[in-house]
Amino acid sequence: EKTAWIGGLPENEASVERNKELMEHMKQAGNCKFVKIGKGGSGSAGFTTGEEVQLAIATLNGSVFQGHAIQVDVWTKKEVA
């Protein structure tokens, strides 16, 4: 899986600008290609390889972005009931 889940950001502050800044933050772990954070304060980050996702989880989970400790974890697709 080449996508990481990101959470812990404030709700209702989603913006293209914040996504760009967060993408730069996520590039500490590798080639982050996109970040999409929704109104709920969580979303996803796409990387080139699964190893980069694992590195992002290992190094950026709990890191501080714009004053907020963010959560980085494995992306799991919602099970269809």
Side-chain angles (χ1 to χ4, degrees), residues 16-68:
V16 171
E17 190 59 37
R18 183 176 75 175
N19 285 353
K20 285 181 184 174
E21 291 170 12
L22 184 55
M23 187 170 83
E24 290 303 314
H25 183 78
M26 299 305 290
K27 283 184 178 177
Q28 295 174 78
N31 184 20
C32 184
K33 297 185 290 187
F34 71 85
V35 168
K36 294 178 188 165
I37 305 296
K39 289 182 186 174
S42 65
S44 61
F47 289 89
T48 306
T49 67
E51 288 78 20
E52 289 171 343
V53 171
Q54 293 302 317
L55 184 61
I57 294 167
T59 59
L60 298 174
N61 185 36
S63 66
V64 176
F65 173 74
Q66 295 183 347
H68 301 279

Side-chain angles (χ1 to χ4, degrees), residues 1-20:
E1 182 61 70
K2 297 177 185 175
T3 305
W5 177 86
I6 303 174
L9 291 159
E11 294 182 18
N12 300 316
E13 289 185 21
S15 71
V16 171
E17 190 59 37
R18 183 176 75 175
N19 285 353
K20 285 181 184 174

